[in-house]
Amino acid sequence: DSSADGSFSRKQENGGETDKYAVRQHYNSRPNNSTQERKKSTIFGVRSFNNFVKSLLIDMYSRPHDVALDLGCGKGGDLLKWLKAGIDGLIGVDIADISIEHAKDRFAHMRSKCFWVDFCVGDPFLDRLEDIVHPDAFPVDVVSCQFAFHYAFETEERLRNALANISRVLKRGGKFIGTIPDSEQLVRNLKLGKKQWGNSIYRISFEEANPTGTFETLWGNRYMFHLTEAVEDVPEYVVPFEGFVKLAQEYNLKLERHQTFMKFFHQAVRDRDVKKVAEDSKILNRDGTFAIGEEQLEACAVYAVFAFEKV
Ligand code: SAM
């Protein structure tokens, strides 16, 4: 198989057959909790904050009647966000087949279905999207990859194939949005000589210390991530952001936004009149202080948002 940049004809160094099975097994085994159960969770605050950030991002970078592609869509947790954004169609892809079944089920139970969906099992960081999803669905207006693009950073092949896929199926002027762990924060902690850090809610553990905080390659910089009740020591990869932006340029993706969750949140509350929504979502108190505990906030602060435009 070949693409314009030749990335699909590249030899598969390890066929991408490494951590993806552990990742898939992990996400497939996550229970499909009800809304009531989620409200009782010890990470309810983390979930609310993350959902708030994703809603904002989707709202800012999609338009009514868009067709959206959600890579690593999981159990379809963003379905309502897309509904509110007024899109016409949503394609969801995930390697976890059981999660895809949950996503289909969630859509089937939605009261308002004013857009079409197509949920597919596949690895969009390795395989051609046109082999996973019916090609008639392309091109799309927006590609969203929430809390998942760091899995593409396992090998050069995966990363290039992921970017080639995204660039190829996006319309010119279309957006590629996502949420990833903030590499600047990871590097800051590494430079302090830490190999492992976190709190009672989350933990990040590198196998070796790296006090220079530099990486020889853009890919393969592995650590284990744990988030109480959500992610149990799953292998993840650093997204060295500057290098990511440079590589994305090769695929005609131009950076429009990169902010930590906290900066993005505070700016939105200041500029976008969403304080009341943040209060209703139990993120902020009336006096503007956080209604979420310190340790949960620290877990939220691990992440950053990005938005690229296909040029
Ligand atoms: N995007 C969803 C959300 O925000 O709720 C799910 C996020 S979950 C932390 C990460 C998701 O990425 C999981 O559903 C996992 O199965 C998926 N994933 C990981 N590696 C993947 C790959 N190579 N291809 C497709 N999906 C992948």
Side-chain angles (χ1 to χ4, degrees), residues 20 23-24 27-28 54 70-75 77-78 93-96 99 122-126 145-148 150-152 158 179 231:
K20 93 170 186 191
V23 172
R24 177 171 65 194
Y27 284 107
N28 264 339
K54 288 194 287 180
D70 187 346
L71 302 180
C73 62
K75 299 183 199 126
D78 292 343
V93 181
D94 203 289
I95 37 157
S99 297
D123 185 344
F125 306 152
L126 195 62
C145 189
Q146 306 299 336
F147 299 104
H150 39 289
Y151 295 117
R158 295 176 80 79
T179 42
V231 186

Side-chain angles (χ1 to χ4, degrees), residues 17-35:
E17 310 290 305
T18 51
D19 284 336
K20 93 170 186 191
Y21 294 107
V23 172
R24 177 171 65 194
Q25 155 80 13
H26 170 79
Y27 284 107
N28 264 339
S29 67
R30 299 311 304 160
N32 195 20
N33 291 334
S34 67
T35 312

Side-chain angles (χ1 to χ4, degrees), residues 20 100 244 277 288:
K20 93 170 186 191
I100 286 292
F244 173 31
V277 190

Side-chain angles (χ1 to χ4, degrees), residues 218-235:
L218 199 51
W219 43 84
N221 300 298
R222 189 177 194 253
Y223 61 90
M224 300 303 276
F225 183 67
H226 170 87
L227 177 67
T228 295
E229 289 180 32
V231 186
E232 281 158 29
D233 273 320
V234 167

Side-chain angles (χ1 to χ4, degrees), residues 3-225:
S3 65
D5 64 289
S7 61
F8 283 92
S9 55
R10 222 170 271 266
K11 187 173 164 288
Q12 300 197 354
E13 318 139 33
N14 56 19
E17 310 290 305
T18 51
D19 284 336
K20 93 170 186 191
Y21 294 107
V23 172
R24 177 171 65 194
Q25 155 80 13
H26 170 79
Y27 284 107
N28 264 339
S29 67
R30 299 311 304 160
N32 195 20
N33 291 334
S34 67
T35 312
Q36 280 315 312
E37 282 163 332
R38 283 196 290 268
K39 278 188 180 157
K40 282 188 271 167
S41 152
T42 47
I43 53 159
F44 177 70
V46 176
R47 290 191 197 282
S48 303
F49 193 92
N50 291 350
N51 278 322
F52 186 86
V53 167
K54 288 194 287 180
S55 294
L56 268 172
L57 201 60
I58 287 172
D59 187 56
M60 286 162 80
Y61 289 96
S62 67
R63 288 157 310 176
H65 305 299
D66 272 0
V67 171
L69 169 66
D70 187 346
L71 302 180
C73 62
K75 299 183 199 126
D78 292 343
L79 272 166
L80 275 179
K81 301 174 188 72
W82 291 113
L83 176 79
K84 285 185 194 146
I87 61 166
D88 277 354
L90 175 69
I91 305 150
V93 181
D94 203 289
I95 37 157
D97 50 330
I98 295 171
S99 297
I100 286 292
E101 286 311 310
H102 289 318
K104 286 181 181 167
D105 208 45
R106 192 177 279 208
F107 183 70
H109 286 92
M110 264 168 65
R111 252 175 263 143
S112 170
K113 297 188 184 62
C114 31
F115 59 98
W116 56 262
V117 297
D118 186 11
F119 285 113
C120 309
V121 179
D123 185 344
F125 306 152
L126 195 62
D127 303 325
R128 271 178 80 88
L129 269 167
E130 292 86 338
D131 294 337
I132 304 172
V133 178
H134 196 288
D136 283 357
F138 302 131
V140 298
D141 303 283
V142 53
V143 174
S144 168
C145 189
Q146 306 299 336
F147 299 104
F149 202 63
H150 39 289
Y151 295 117
F153 279 71
E154 184 178 355
T155 61
E156 176 179 14
E157 181 197 24
R158 295 176 80 79
L159 181 54
R160 286 189 178 275
N161 285 3
L163 288 170
N165 263 334
I166 292 164
S167 181
R168 207 177 52 250
V169 304
L170 249 186
K171 282 182 191 160
R172 190 172 302 169
K175 310 291 181 182
F176 167 40
I177 56 174
T179 42
I180 44 166
D182 175 25
S183 61
E184 283 169 26
Q185 203 204 73
L186 294 178
V187 166
R188 263 200 309 277
N189 278 292
L190 287 171
K191 279 187 170 168
L192 289 172
K194 294 184 195 171
K195 225 171 76 168
Q196 179 174 315
W197 61 90
N199 58 31
S200 69
I201 304 281
Y202 83 98
R203 187 177 55 249
I204 288 173
S205 336
F206 282 80
E207 225 161 79
E208 283 169 20
N210 175 3
T212 64
T214 52
F215 305 104
E216 271 172 34
T217 53
L218 199 51
W219 43 84
N221 300 298
R222 189 177 194 253
Y223 61 90
M224 300 303 276
F225 183 67

